[in-house]
Amino acid sequence: MSVHTPAHPLAGRVAVVTGASSGIGEATAEKLASLGAAVALLARRADRLDDLTARIRKDGGTALPIAVDVTDATAVQAAADRIQAELGTTGLLFNNAGVMLPAPIEELATEQWQRQIDLNITGLMNVIGAFTPQLVAAAASRGVADLVNTSSIAAQNIFPNFAVYSATKAYVTHLSRHLRTELGPKQVRVSAVEPGIVGTELQSHVTDHGVQQWLADSKQSMDWLTPQDIADTIAFLATLPPRANLQQITIMPTAQPS
Ligand code: NDP
């Protein structure tokens, strides 16, 4: 285990990252590990988690890959129990797994509506349910813990065809605001991160042609954020002094108009 030094400010902390097999979660897990946290990696694709684990361990870090579907509450609880037993009490939770499937509402893509609600809301809650006791315990013993939920600029701004996705992210931001009133007094900092467009696998799941074209045009016209930009932001908030809670963070490509 890393020793707490300026280079390893997260040494001694156990971090859990959901959606760690790609994009924002993968980059953030690697960043937190480089800062000394022991990191549990959660997502469904075991091979991707194994590759990331190997990279983290090669760099001297600690990683525990757990293939899990976060929409399965029992499996998430089993993962939480295993992390507690193998790494220790979780003190930093990056609750990040999510899916974006925009389409005009009149297409009635009900299966895609459900997938977004199941993962972005129910999955998020399964993870909060399984890890909140550990976060509260970690805060009690170390003086601070972090619950960081990945929301989106879509929680604030209005985009045609993104109604269901945006509503799931509005849920995440509003939930985070409320949890702060309960968990803040227990030294658990709750943050909602609201990125604009970040180049990840997220866009590759979009099936609506109109939205695909909109994304392609957007990529031509501006420099999208990278997953590392978000990872650096999470690292910054997690390394603030225990008295400081960076509550809500909007991070956008400089040229993204809204
Ligand atoms: P990716 O598609 O690259 O990552 C999504 C991650 O979620 C993957 O690791 C995926 O892994 C995991 N995941 C999907 N379904 C499940 C499941 N049922 N159980 C467990 N894990 C699951 O996209 P991003 O990195 O961009 O997305 C991360 C978060 O950022 C999401 O919440 C997204 O809404 C949000 N966001 C993204 C923005 C962007 O422009 N990219 C902008 C604003 C917010 P696997 O398939 O292996 O399970």
Side-chain angles (χ1 to χ4, degrees), residues 46 49 60 119 126-127 130 143 159 164 168 177 212 214 221 229 241 255 258:
L49 297 181
L119 179 58
N126 289 342
V127 174
F159 302 97
V164 177
T168 67
R177 244 180 238 136
Q212 284 173 339
W214 179 81
S221 68
D229 296 328
S258 66

mmCIF file of all heavy atoms in Angstrom, residues 46 49 60 119 126-127 130 143 159 164 168 177 212 214 221 229 241 255 258:
data_model
loop_
_atom_site.group_PDB
_atom_site.id
_atom_site.type_symbol
_atom_site.label_atom_id
_atom_site.label_comp_id
_atom_site.label_asym_id
_atom_site.label_seq_id
_atom_site.Cartn_x
_atom_site.Cartn_y
_atom_site.Cartn_z
ATOM 1 N N ALA A 46 -15.491 -8.063 -17.979
ATOM 2 C CA ALA A 46 -14.366 -8.511 -17.138
ATOM 3 C C ALA A 46 -13.032 -8.338 -17.839
ATOM 4 O O ALA A 46 -12.031 -7.979 -17.203
ATOM 5 C CB ALA A 46 -14.582 -9.969 -16.753
ATOM 6 N N LEU A 49 -11.780 -4.852 -17.488
ATOM 7 C CA LEU A 49 -11.357 -4.575 -16.100
ATOM 8 C C LEU A 49 -10.011 -5.233 -15.810
ATOM 9 O O LEU A 49 -9.170 -4.660 -15.100
ATOM 10 C CB LEU A 49 -12.419 -5.068 -15.114
ATOM 11 C CG LEU A 49 -13.794 -4.400 -15.210
ATOM 12 C CD1 LEU A 49 -14.734 -4.984 -14.158
ATOM 13 C CD2 LEU A 49 -13.703 -2.886 -15.058
ATOM 14 N N GLY A 60 2.489 0.071 -9.936
ATOM 15 C CA GLY A 60 2.672 0.016 -8.485
ATOM 16 C C GLY A 60 1.408 0.262 -7.684
ATOM 17 O O GLY A 60 1.460 0.383 -6.459
ATOM 18 N N LEU A 119 -30.402 1.916 -15.534
ATOM 19 C CA LEU A 119 -28.983 2.096 -15.185
ATOM 20 C C LEU A 119 -28.749 3.434 -14.479
ATOM 21 O O LEU A 119 -28.156 3.485 -13.390
ATOM 22 C CB LEU A 119 -28.110 1.993 -16.441
ATOM 23 C CG LEU A 119 -26.603 2.182 -16.213
ATOM 24 C CD1 LEU A 119 -26.057 1.172 -15.207
ATOM 25 C CD2 LEU A 119 -25.841 2.065 -17.530
ATOM 26 N N ASN A 126 -28.788 1.506 -6.468
ATOM 27 C CA ASN A 126 -28.263 0.239 -5.932
ATOM 28 C C ASN A 126 -26.869 0.452 -5.343
ATOM 29 O O ASN A 126 -26.526 -0.086 -4.278
ATOM 30 C CB ASN A 126 -28.178 -0.823 -7.031
ATOM 31 C CG ASN A 126 -29.544 -1.322 -7.468
ATOM 32 O OD1 ASN A 126 -30.538 -1.146 -6.756
ATOM 33 N ND2 ASN A 126 -29.605 -1.938 -8.653
ATOM 34 N N VAL A 127 -26.070 1.235 -6.052
ATOM 35 C CA VAL A 127 -24.689 1.467 -5.605
ATOM 36 C C VAL A 127 -24.690 2.330 -4.337
ATOM 37 O O VAL A 127 -23.962 2.047 -3.376
ATOM 38 C CB VAL A 127 -23.875 2.112 -6.753
ATOM 39 C CG1 VAL A 127 -22.478 2.498 -6.284
ATOM 40 C CG2 VAL A 127 -23.794 1.148 -7.944
ATOM 41 N N ALA A 130 -25.683 0.137 -1.397
ATOM 42 C CA ALA A 130 -24.684 -0.843 -0.944
ATOM 43 C C ALA A 130 -23.491 -0.186 -0.258
ATOM 44 O O ALA A 130 -22.861 -0.789 0.620
ATOM 45 C CB ALA A 130 -24.207 -1.677 -2.139
ATOM 46 N N GLY A 143 -12.347 11.141 9.017
ATOM 47 C CA GLY A 143 -12.692 12.562 9.000
ATOM 48 C C GLY A 143 -13.254 13.049 7.686
ATOM 49 O O GLY A 143 -13.714 14.190 7.587
ATOM 50 N N PHE A 159 -32.130 20.097 -24.247
ATOM 51 C CA PHE A 159 -31.710 19.624 -25.564
ATOM 52 C C PHE A 159 -32.865 18.841 -26.201
ATOM 53 O O PHE A 159 -33.352 17.883 -25.577
ATOM 54 C CB PHE A 159 -30.511 18.678 -25.452
ATOM 55 C CG PHE A 159 -29.307 19.278 -24.776
ATOM 56 C CD1 PHE A 159 -29.061 19.054 -23.430
ATOM 57 C CD2 PHE A 159 -28.413 20.064 -25.498
ATOM 58 C CE1 PHE A 159 -27.947 19.594 -22.804
ATOM 59 C CE2 PHE A 159 -27.300 20.615 -24.870
ATOM 60 C CZ PHE A 159 -27.067 20.381 -23.528
ATOM 61 N N VAL A 164 -35.499 11.887 -21.955
ATOM 62 C CA VAL A 164 -35.419 10.825 -20.945
ATOM 63 C C VAL A 164 -34.029 10.816 -20.288
ATOM 64 O O VAL A 164 -33.906 10.775 -19.058
ATOM 65 C CB VAL A 164 -35.764 9.445 -21.554
ATOM 66 C CG1 VAL A 164 -35.602 8.340 -20.511
ATOM 67 C CG2 VAL A 164 -37.183 9.461 -22.108
ATOM 68 N N THR A 168 -33.086 11.640 -16.340
ATOM 69 C CA THR A 168 -32.349 10.756 -15.413
ATOM 70 C C THR A 168 -31.199 11.518 -14.762
ATOM 71 O O THR A 168 -30.882 11.305 -13.587
ATOM 72 C CB THR A 168 -31.789 9.481 -16.094
ATOM 73 O OG1 THR A 168 -30.762 9.818 -17.038
ATOM 74 C CG2 THR A 168 -32.884 8.667 -16.775
ATOM 75 N N ARG A 177 -28.020 16.881 -4.238
ATOM 76 C CA ARG A 177 -28.291 18.047 -3.388
ATOM 77 C C ARG A 177 -28.948 17.633 -2.070
ATOM 78 O O ARG A 177 -28.601 18.124 -1.004
ATOM 79 C CB ARG A 177 -29.267 18.960 -4.131
ATOM 80 C CG ARG A 177 -28.708 20.290 -4.479
ATOM 81 C CD ARG A 177 -29.768 21.108 -5.208
ATOM 82 N NE ARG A 177 -29.259 21.475 -6.499
ATOM 83 C CZ ARG A 177 -29.917 21.423 -7.645
ATOM 84 N NH1 ARG A 177 -31.154 21.001 -7.690
ATOM 85 N NH2 ARG A 177 -29.348 21.785 -8.757
ATOM 86 N N GLN A 212 -27.114 10.985 -34.196
ATOM 87 C CA GLN A 212 -25.770 10.598 -34.664
ATOM 88 C C GLN A 212 -25.161 11.715 -35.519
ATOM 89 O O GLN A 212 -23.984 12.060 -35.378
ATOM 90 C CB GLN A 212 -25.851 9.304 -35.489
ATOM 91 C CG GLN A 212 -26.027 8.060 -34.652
ATOM 92 C CD GLN A 212 -26.269 6.811 -35.506
ATOM 93 O OE1 GLN A 212 -26.683 6.913 -36.678
ATOM 94 N NE2 GLN A 212 -26.021 5.654 -34.940
ATOM 95 N N TRP A 214 -25.984 14.909 -35.445
ATOM 96 C CA TRP A 214 -25.732 16.060 -34.560
ATOM 97 C C TRP A 214 -24.394 15.880 -33.832
ATOM 98 O O TRP A 214 -23.598 16.817 -33.722
ATOM 99 C CB TRP A 214 -26.896 16.177 -33.567
ATOM 100 C CG TRP A 214 -26.764 17.302 -32.589
ATOM 101 C CD1 TRP A 214 -27.056 18.622 -32.802
ATOM 102 C CD2 TRP A 214 -26.299 17.209 -31.223
ATOM 103 N NE1 TRP A 214 -26.803 19.352 -31.665
ATOM 104 C CE2 TRP A 214 -26.337 18.519 -30.675
ATOM 105 C CE3 TRP A 214 -25.870 16.161 -30.419
ATOM 106 C CZ2 TRP A 214 -25.959 18.794 -29.363
ATOM 107 C CZ3 TRP A 214 -25.481 16.437 -29.112
ATOM 108 C CH2 TRP A 214 -25.529 17.745 -28.600
ATOM 109 N N SER A 221 -16.903 20.503 -35.150
ATOM 110 C CA SER A 221 -16.884 21.948 -34.890
ATOM 111 C C SER A 221 -16.189 22.327 -33.578
ATOM 112 O O SER A 221 -15.989 23.504 -33.320
ATOM 113 C CB SER A 221 -18.310 22.499 -34.886
ATOM 114 O OG SER A 221 -19.015 21.990 -33.770
ATOM 115 N N ASP A 229 -9.750 14.790 -18.652
ATOM 116 C CA ASP A 229 -10.182 16.078 -18.088
ATOM 117 C C ASP A 229 -11.098 15.840 -16.888
ATOM 118 O O ASP A 229 -11.017 16.540 -15.870
ATOM 119 C CB ASP A 229 -10.941 16.907 -19.137
ATOM 120 C CG ASP A 229 -10.070 17.294 -20.322
ATOM 121 O OD1 ASP A 229 -8.868 17.498 -20.137
ATOM 122 O OD2 ASP A 229 -10.616 17.390 -21.444
ATOM 123 N N PRO A 241 -9.117 19.722 1.228
ATOM 124 C CA PRO A 241 -9.160 19.463 2.671
ATOM 125 C C PRO A 241 -10.562 19.006 3.087
ATOM 126 O O PRO A 241 -11.552 19.402 2.450
ATOM 127 C CB PRO A 241 -8.847 20.827 3.296
ATOM 128 C CG PRO A 241 -8.361 21.696 2.197
ATOM 129 C CD PRO A 241 -8.790 21.116 0.902
ATOM 130 N N ALA A 255 -15.703 25.366 -26.422
ATOM 131 C CA ALA A 255 -16.499 25.872 -27.553
ATOM 132 C C ALA A 255 -17.924 25.323 -27.588
ATOM 133 O O ALA A 255 -18.665 25.614 -28.526
ATOM 134 C CB ALA A 255 -15.793 25.534 -28.863
ATOM 135 N N SER A 258 -23.917 25.208 -25.331
ATOM 136 C CA SER A 258 -24.813 24.957 -24.204
ATOM 137 C C SER A 258 -24.959 23.455 -23.988
ATOM 138 O O SER A 258 -24.518 22.669 -24.807
ATOM 139 C CB SER A 258 -26.197 25.536 -24.451
ATOM 140 O OG SER A 258 -26.805 24.849 -25.523
#
